[in-house]
Amino acid sequence: MTVAVFLLLLLGAVPIALVLALTAMWYIQASGNTVLFDSYPQQLFSAIESYGLLAIPLFMLAGELMNEGGLTKRLIALARILVGGFRGGLAYINLVANMMMAAIIGSAASQIAIMSRAMVPAMEEEGYDTPYSAAITAAGGLLSPIIPPSMLFVLFGVMAQVPIAEMFIAGLLPGLLLGASFFVVIALVGLVQQYPKGQWPSRQQALHDALWGMPALLIPVIIIGGILLGIATPTESAALASLAALLMGRFVYGDLRFQQLPQVLTRTAINAGLVIMLIAAAGVFGWVVIYEQLPQMAAEWIAALTSSPFLFLLLVIGALLLVGMVIDGIAALILVVPILMPIAQSQFAISPYQFGVVVCLTLVMGLLTPPVGAGLFIASSMTGAPPLKIFRALLPFLLATLVTLVLLAWLPWLTDGLVRR
């Protein structure tokens, strides 16, 4: 009956945070174990009582300040210097700029929204069709869960009790691998569609863009460098990145006005509040899941199917692709980690880094797949292209992501290699 209530609320378009909280309340009432209601508020607060979660609003703030302060367009100009002259140059520029932004924003949805506004109009002007332009931008959002910093990595690290800094390091090689596969897709599509050959900027323009782009490039350097060198925690790096984005946007580029700060802070507070509320509600739901010993039952069922870590991860990928199609990535992560993480470690000796990277990337694919596909609708609303046309243009990128996931499941050193050095 509890499962029926959960599905009824979910399919009834009730906000996912309320779905989780109300389902947990229903279970407590239906089980007759009403004494658990005394622990309900405590479980709500204990789910968000983690220092690491402070990184989420701070990374959101850094992304907002970068966009308002003109840092985003300077990174795009810097990307033009690197790849702008190839056939389909703007497509490569879009991808490289997305990789740079992924190292700052950490949220796929925010990245798709920001880069759609910045890149799609420019691609349309040079003859690229709108669905393909929107598809490249949406595909760039797939880089955000694995190129550090990653909001999903922060959540996974908190839930799995894994150092967040080490999760960030584990995402470096997979992020570069996924980016390289997207480069191959763009090259092949460019040859088939005969997209226009790009133009390299003049030496003077390249020097100008490089000089003005370098300060913006310091933001990901501050974040990743501070973490890798052990100078700052992920939360401290996020705070430093927000401060740097504020100072650069106001005093270096001059695009940011202090009058804009209330709007920036309000947007950040609303978005971060939604995420934190979801984490709190999911904490209560996870408490019920563990109380019912669902991880142990799932472990017995999966152990009967296979004893191979690789096949287990393939099963996880297949299941989470379906889950990600109907449930938001953050909510899905909070739901599946308490169930699948103990199985991965105890039954199959899979490292938390490999498991975390595979799970996070798989769930974010759901952001770009129907029927929910929030990322598709964000890209559609920003560009005016129909969601299904964007999805068709996205298929080669989704296929490349699936190939990458299989490699990550097959070769543990891709995620564990840098962490264990």
Side-chain angles (χ1 to χ4, degrees):
M1 188 63 184
T2 302
V3 175
V5 171
F6 173 80
L7 293 175
L8 182 65
L9 292 173
L10 184 66
L11 297 175
V14 176
I16 188 68
L18 291 179
V19 171
L20 300 175
L22 292 174
T23 301
M25 293 178 70
W26 171 272
Y27 166 79
I28 294 172
Q29 183 65 39
S31 67
N33 200 1
T34 53
V35 70
L36 294 177
F37 277 123
D38 295 338
S39 300
Y40 193 94
Q42 180 183 355
Q43 293 298 326
L44 277 174
F45 283 100
S46 65
I48 57 175
E49 201 174 28
S50 171
Y51 171 74
L53 290 178
L54 280 174
I56 291 176
L58 289 171
F59 281 129
M60 287 181 170
L61 178 59
E64 290 283 354
L65 289 171
M66 284 195 64
N67 199 42
E68 293 292 336
L71 279 75
T72 303
K73 62 184 180 183
R74 268 76 183 196
L75 288 177
I76 293 172
L78 192 60
R80 185 181 293 273
I81 301 172
L82 301 175
V83 292
F86 299 125
R87 180 175 296 280
L90 266 181
Y92 290 107
I93 292 169
N94 193 342
L95 180 58
V96 172
N98 265 297
M99 293 180 75
M100 293 177 182
M101 291 302 292
I104 300 163
I105 297 178
S107 164
S110 299
Q111 185 172 330
I112 292 169
I114 290 171
M115 296 306 293
S116 292
R117 292 198 302 266
M119 286 302 307
V120 173
M123 293 185 71
E124 289 174 331
E125 288 178 9
E126 292 203 12
Y128 296 83
D129 60 82
T130 304
Y132 178 68
S133 304
I136 293 177
T137 308
L142 290 169
L143 297 166
S144 66
I146 51 176
I147 292 182
S150 162
M151 197 179 302
L152 288 182
F153 278 2
V154 173
L155 287 178
F156 181 85
V158 170
M159 296 180 64
Q161 298 183 339
V162 175
I164 296 171
E166 292 185 0
M167 278 303 304
F168 284 177
I169 295 171
L172 287 174
L173 285 180
L176 294 174
L177 178 63
L178 184 61
S181 70
F182 285 176
F183 273 106
V184 173
V185 170
I186 291 174
L188 295 176
V189 172
L191 288 175
V192 173
Q193 300 291 340
Q194 287 297 299
Y195 281 118
K197 191 176 185 301
Q199 291 185 345
W200 297 107
S202 66
R203 182 175 299 179
Q204 184 178 0
Q205 184 65 42
L207 181 61
H208 175 272
D209 290 343
L211 289 174
W212 281 98
M214 286 301 175
L217 199 59
L218 284 176
I219 302 293
V221 171
I222 289 171
I223 295 173
I224 299 173
I227 294 170
L228 292 181
L229 296 175
I231 299 172
T233 66
T235 302
E236 292 165 349
S237 293
L240 290 173
S242 298
L243 177 61
L246 172 64
L247 295 177
M248 289 181 193
R250 179 65 188 95
F251 298 110
V252 177
Y253 298 123
D255 290 0
L256 182 65
R257 299 286 180 269
F258 287 130
Q259 294 91 326
Q260 298 170 263
L261 288 181
Q263 294 179 337
V264 169
L265 293 172
T266 300
R267 285 199 301 270
T268 303
I270 292 173
N271 292 331
L274 292 172
V275 173
I276 298 301
M277 180 180 176
L278 179 58
I279 295 169
V284 176
F285 188 86
W287 170 54
V288 168
V289 165
I290 294 171
Y291 188 84
E292 276 293 282
Q293 296 187 327
L294 289 183
Q296 290 87 333
M297 289 187 285
E300 292 176 5
W301 178 72
I302 292 174
L305 292 177
T306 180
S307 59
S308 166
F310 176 60
L311 290 179
F312 168 73
L313 285 175
L314 291 185
L315 288 172
V316 169
I317 290 169
L320 295 189
L321 282 174
L322 297 176
V323 170
M325 288 180 182
V326 294
I327 303 179
D328 174 77
I330 293 176
L333 183 73
I334 297 169
L335 287 175
V336 302
V337 168
I339 298 173
L340 296 179
M341 182 71 183
I343 303 171
Q345 288 189 293
S346 62
Q347 298 284 330
F348 298 97
I350 296 171
S351 80
Y353 309 109
Q354 183 185 19
F355 183 75
V357 172
V358 168
V359 167
C360 291
L361 180 55
T362 306
L363 288 176
V364 171
M365 284 186 69
L367 193 70
L368 302 177
T369 51
V372 177
L376 282 178
F377 290 100
I378 291 171
S380 176
S381 64
M382 292 291 174
T383 63
L388 287 179
K389 287 189 175 182
I390 297 175
F391 178 69
R392 281 197 292 269
L394 259 172
L395 286 175
F397 296 97
L398 294 177
L399 180 60
T401 306
L402 276 176
V403 172
T404 302
L405 279 169
V406 171
L407 287 174
L408 294 178
W410 183 34
L411 303 171
W413 61 266
L414 287 172
T415 50
D416 299 353
L418 292 179
V419 178
R420 305 202 182 282
R421 289 189 61 183

